[in-house]
């Protein structure tokens, strides 16, 4: 029995030697390359065309309030934006707000755009006393983290008034406000979109067509966006395998190289042949030793 146990242990050790070398030669990997994410935020963006004096004078209103972009972290908190050259030659205050914050941050782990607008009133030329829209609070947030699904959120909190009318907005839907002799405004609430690496959120998007009293004093058409945020996830680092390292006390083994033109399918050779052969040799040696020992004991008893 001791002889048989010794033979089994020797065989197991011989067969285990091959896989141990294979594990020792496996090449670990490390990350290289990666990149920062991207983010942006804007409180107000206008794409309006303002026509004065029966369209004899056209003034494009293309402006953005508190627009920021990252990788470099940035934040802006301006509370007003004006348009010069209209309103009887003077300036028109397009937006006034108690809070108007846009923030964008990005690094190798995450990117985030965030916008917060509170107690805001927006005016367009031709309506000096009547706000195009008033909102109590709107926010948007776009968050992209490495290895996670991007998130887009937007909220419109409190009352919304359009051309002097309080309106009830439908989440993810469209609301149309028509005021006779003044104009029409169509609102899209909480527009959000995501992909595998990007997210975008807009609290309110307005399509505007205003011609007060149809006097052609000031006709305004176009779009207006409130509280926008976007992000793009950081790029995943490239994985580069390292050179195999020899483990202390473990000697690498290599398979014999077959002659040129040899067919491994015919000879039965492959990369693990040396380990199988080594295990077989050890098994035969252990069996022979056990047989000799049994015969020796039999002679001693006989």
């Amino acid at each position: 029995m001791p002889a048989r146990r010794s033979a089994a242990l020797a065989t197991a050790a011989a067969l285990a030697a091959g896989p141990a070398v294979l594990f020792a030669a496996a090449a670990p990997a490390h990350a290289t390359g990666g990149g920062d994410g991207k983010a942006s935020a804007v409180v107000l963006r206008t794409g309006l065309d303002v026509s004065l004096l029966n369209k004899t004078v056209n003034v494009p209103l293309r402006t953005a309030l508190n627009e920021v972009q990252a990788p470099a972290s940035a934040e802006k908190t301006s509370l007003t934006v004006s348009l010069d050259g209209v309103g009887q030659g003077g300036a028109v205050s397009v937006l006034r707000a108690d809070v108007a914050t846009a923030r964008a941050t990005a690094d190798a782990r995450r990117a985030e755009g965030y916008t917060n607008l509170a107690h805001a009133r927006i005016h367009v030329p031709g309506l000096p006393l009547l706000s195009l829209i008033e909102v109590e609070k709107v926010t948007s947030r776009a968050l992209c983290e490495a290895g996670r699904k991007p998130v887009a959120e937007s909220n419109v909190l409190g009352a919304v008034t359009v051309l002097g009318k309080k309106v009830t907005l439908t989440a993810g839907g469209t609301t149309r406000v028509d005021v006779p002799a003044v104009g029409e405004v169509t609102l899209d609430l909480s527009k959000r979109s995501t992909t595998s690496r990007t997210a975008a959120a807009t609290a309110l998007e307005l399509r505007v067509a205003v011609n007060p009293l149809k006097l052609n004093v000031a006709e305004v058409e176009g779009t207006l966006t409130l509280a926008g945020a976007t992000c793009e996830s950081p790029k995943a680092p490239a994985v580069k395998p390292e050179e195999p390292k020899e483990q202390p006390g473990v000697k690498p083994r290599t398979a014999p190289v077959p002659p040129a033109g040899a067919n491994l399918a015919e000879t039965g050779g492959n990369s693990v042949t040396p380990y199988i052969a080594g295990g077989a040799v050890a098994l035969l040696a252990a069996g022979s030793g056990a047989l000799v020992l049994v015969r020796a004991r039999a002679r001693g008893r006989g």
Side-chain angles (χ1 to χ4, degrees):
M1 291 299 291
R4 292 178 184 177
R5 189 179 296 108
S6 299
L9 292 174
T11 302
L15 292 176
V21 175
L22 288 178
F23 284 121
H30 65 279
T32 61
D36 288 345
K38 298 178 182 179
S40 69
V42 62
V43 168
L44 168 71
R45 180 180 287 113
T46 63
L48 300 174
D49 293 316
V50 182
S51 300
L52 307 177
L53 303 176
N54 200 19
K55 295 190 176 182
T56 58
V57 177
N58 296 314
V59 181
L61 177 50
R62 306 283 189 272
T63 187
L65 175 66
N66 294 348
E67 185 173 24
V68 292
Q69 296 181 348
S73 297
E75 182 174 347
K76 289 184 178 180
T77 57
S78 298
L79 301 179
T80 61
V81 60
S82 299
L83 174 66
D84 295 326
V86 294
Q88 298 180 350
V92 173
S93 177
V94 178
L95 180 141
R96 291 184 179 276
D98 293 346
V99 177
T101 301
R103 183 173 66 247
T105 59
D107 55 29
R109 295 180 298 125
R110 56 181 279 165
E112 181 180 14
Y114 174 76
T115 307
N116 179 27
L117 180 64
H119 299 104
R121 297 163 297 283
I122 296 175
H123 290 268
V124 295
L127 297 175
L129 303 179
L130 183 63
S131 298
L132 177 70
I133 185 171
E134 298 181 16
V135 296
E136 287 192 22
K137 183 173 183 178
V138 294
T139 63
S140 287
R141 177 174 176 258
L143 176 63
C144 298
E145 295 183 277
R148 296 187 177 182
K149 184 179 179 180
V151 176
E153 301 174 339
S154 60
N155 295 287
V156 178
L157 307 174
V160 175
T161 303
V162 178
L163 297 176
K165 289 185 174 182
K166 285 191 175 182
V167 298
T168 300
L169 303 177
T170 303
T174 299
T175 301
R176 181 173 172 268
V177 179
D178 189 1
V179 178
V182 175
E184 178 182 297
V185 177
T186 303
L187 300 91
D188 287 324
L189 172 67
S190 299
K191 299 181 68 174
R192 300 179 295 270
S193 64
T194 59
T195 67
S196 60
R197 289 190 57 209
T198 66
T202 300
L204 280 172
E205 185 174 272
L206 290 73
R207 293 186 294 278
V208 180
V210 175
N211 187 355
L213 302 177
K214 297 187 181 295
L215 298 177
N216 290 319
V217 174
E219 187 173 292
V220 182
E221 293 184 348
T223 61
L224 187 147
T225 300
L226 283 177
T230 68
C231 67
E232 181 178 332
S233 297
K235 292 182 179 179
V239 177
K240 180 181 179 181
E242 294 182 354
E243 294 296 328
K245 298 180 180 180
E246 183 177 343
Q247 295 289 336
V250 178
K251 295 182 179 180
R253 301 178 184 178
T254 58
V257 179
N263 189 334
L264 290 179
E266 295 175 0
T267 62
N270 57 38
S271 60
V272 299
T273 298
Y275 306 134
I276 297 175
V281 171
L283 181 60
L284 290 174
S288 298
L291 183 58
V292 170
L293 182 59
V294 170
R295 288 179 177 175
R297 288 183 177 179
R299 290 194 192 97
R301 292 174 183 175

